[in-house]
Amino acid sequence: MTETTHDLCAVGNAIVDVLAPCDDAFLEREGLVKGSMMLIDEARAVSLYGAMAAGVEASGGSAGNTIAGAASFGGRAAYIGKVAEDQLGQVFRHDMQAIGAAFDTPYLSSGPATGRSLINVTPDGQRTMSTFLGAANQLTPDDIDAELVRNSEILYLEGYLFDPADARAAFVRAAEVAHAAGRRVAVTLSDTFVVDRWREELLPFIESSVDIVLANEAELLSLFQETDFETALARLRPIVEVAAVTRSEKGSVIVRDDERVEVKAYPVDKVVDTTGAGDQYAAGFLLGLARGLPLETCGRLGSLAAAEVIAHWGPRPLASLKGLAESEGLI
């Protein structure tokens, strides 16, 4: 096995996030289901953006946020995702490279604009996402940088990208390259919307191509169409090497073979915005796993990153996660 140049290489939807505050009445007027993610077309993106309150724009996308978190921990991070050669696409590329992440996927030369996610956040911190994928879901197997994948300790696949057929084929290609090089493949289930839509294809892909699964409790229950957490976890456990399931304020549960670790959530004075909580948990957890740290430490790194991000607006860390982790004695 060759020496790694990166701890983590993520494949995901390259999206620019637009976050704005709202109340429940706004969600009702706009026909939005609180706490959900729905896909919209470009016309709906324009109309919804016009109705939203003033907010902030930041490069995002689930896997992109995770890579930003990994970089904040001091990790060696890389990203594969598709943007158009437009203003938002250039902003996204600049933002990724500015945090030290390797990101060299060629621009989409023609077709839809760079994707964006319109995120309305209620006072309780719940985020409701309406996403125009645009160029993001034009990723194909040809975009997979085989050398980058081979030289990364863990390949991380974003479940949101499972929708387009070409992107699913890209996942398969990337997983094949990773396993041929002796690397591990991780996937996040991303959202119950994703799981409900693609369960019949997603579960066989996990069984055949995935070593590590990250999910929240609702996604895990949806995957196996169960109502009991322990029953669903018992069904996932034998088909992957490692599973980490977040349970909001209850913390997370991590299993590997006969090992089970329960990690408490880090306390937060006030939940401001839950956008990116799962993405940052993945950043800490996977970086710890890539470096061979104990499962409990991996989970604590994930919980620490999640706590940092939900205490402020935006899906990416504002404080140095490496500094926070060092102060806690985790790295």
Side-chain angles (χ1 to χ4, degrees):
M1 187 185 300
T2 59
E3 185 177 349
T4 58
T5 57
H6 294 87
D7 299 297
L8 190 62
C9 175
V11 183
N13 277 324
I15 299 287
V16 176
D17 289 335
V18 181
L19 298 103
C22 76
D23 55 22
D24 288 341
F26 175 85
L27 299 180
E28 186 173 350
R29 284 197 307 273
E30 293 295 328
L32 302 175
V33 178
K34 186 175 182 178
S36 70
M37 192 286 283
M38 66 184 299
L39 297 177
I40 58 175
D41 60 20
E42 192 163 8
R44 174 59 172 150
V46 171
S47 66
L48 182 58
Y49 180 78
M52 289 169 60
V56 296
E57 297 182 356
S59 295
S62 176
N65 295 336
T66 296
I67 289 302
S72 182
F73 272 116
R76 302 166 302 165
Y79 183 76
I80 298 172
K82 206 72 172 174
V83 294
E85 196 167 6
D86 54 21
Q87 182 179 358
L88 286 181
Q90 291 166 0
V91 167
F92 188 94
R93 186 176 298 279
H94 173 270
D95 286 353
M96 293 301 290
Q97 293 176 343
I99 61 173
F103 175 42
D104 299 306
T105 311
Y107 284 116
L108 182 67
S109 58
S110 62
T114 295
R116 72 288 311 263
S117 185
L118 306 179
I119 305 173
N120 286 282
V121 186
T122 42
D124 59 2
Q126 282 292 309
R127 80 283 188 275
T128 302
M129 300 187 292
S130 302
T131 302
F132 166 59
L133 292 173
N137 70 350
Q138 303 299 306
L139 192 80
T140 73
D142 290 340
D143 291 311
I144 298 301
D145 184 333
E147 183 177 2
L148 193 62
V149 172
R150 280 193 292 267
N151 293 333
S152 299
E153 189 68 38
I154 295 176
L155 170 70
Y156 180 56
L157 305 175
E158 177 188 324
Y160 282 129
L161 196 55
F162 206 75
D163 199 65
D166 280 348
R168 290 199 302 278
F171 274 13
V172 172
R173 168 66 177 151
E176 289 173 347
V177 171
H179 283 148
R183 308 305 183 192
R184 289 170 290 177
V185 177
V187 70
T188 172
L189 299 188
S190 291
D191 195 283
T192 54
F193 169 88
V194 173
V195 180
D196 290 342
R197 184 176 173 87
W198 293 106
R199 185 181 297 106
E200 297 301 317
E201 293 83 2
L202 185 58
L203 192 51
F205 176 73
I206 291 171
E207 292 173 331
S208 65
S209 303
V210 172
D211 307 295
I212 304 157
V213 166
L214 292 101
N216 64 30
E217 183 171 0
E219 293 155 5
L220 175 65
L221 294 175
S222 175
L223 182 64
F224 294 105
Q225 296 181 286
E226 296 283 358
T227 57
D228 177 70
F229 173 77
E230 295 296 339
T231 301
L233 186 63
R235 291 185 63 182
L236 177 61
R237 197 166 184 165
I239 65 175
V240 294
E241 176 189 332
V242 180
V245 184
T246 56
R247 309 185 75 186
S248 299
E249 69 278 359
K250 297 178 184 177
S252 60
V253 177
I254 306 160
V255 293
R256 177 173 60 194
D257 298 326
D258 294 331
E259 186 178 5
R260 176 182 175 130
V261 174
E262 299 193 17
V263 177
K264 293 181 179 180
Y266 271 80
V268 178
D269 290 337
K270 177 178 172 56
V271 175
V272 175
D273 172 21
T274 58
T275 308
D279 303 334
Q280 296 310 322
Y281 180 92
F285 180 79
L286 291 174
L287 185 64
L289 210 59
R291 295 185 173 181
L293 300 179
L295 287 188
E296 182 174 0
T297 304
C298 295
R300 290 181 64 191
L301 287 169
S303 293
L304 180 69
E308 191 281 338
V309 83
I310 66 176
H312 60 74
W313 279 86
R316 298 187 175 187
L318 297 182
S320 165
L321 294 180
K322 181 179 181 181
L324 293 176
E326 287 175 344
S327 69
E328 292 286 327
L330 297 176
I331 59 175

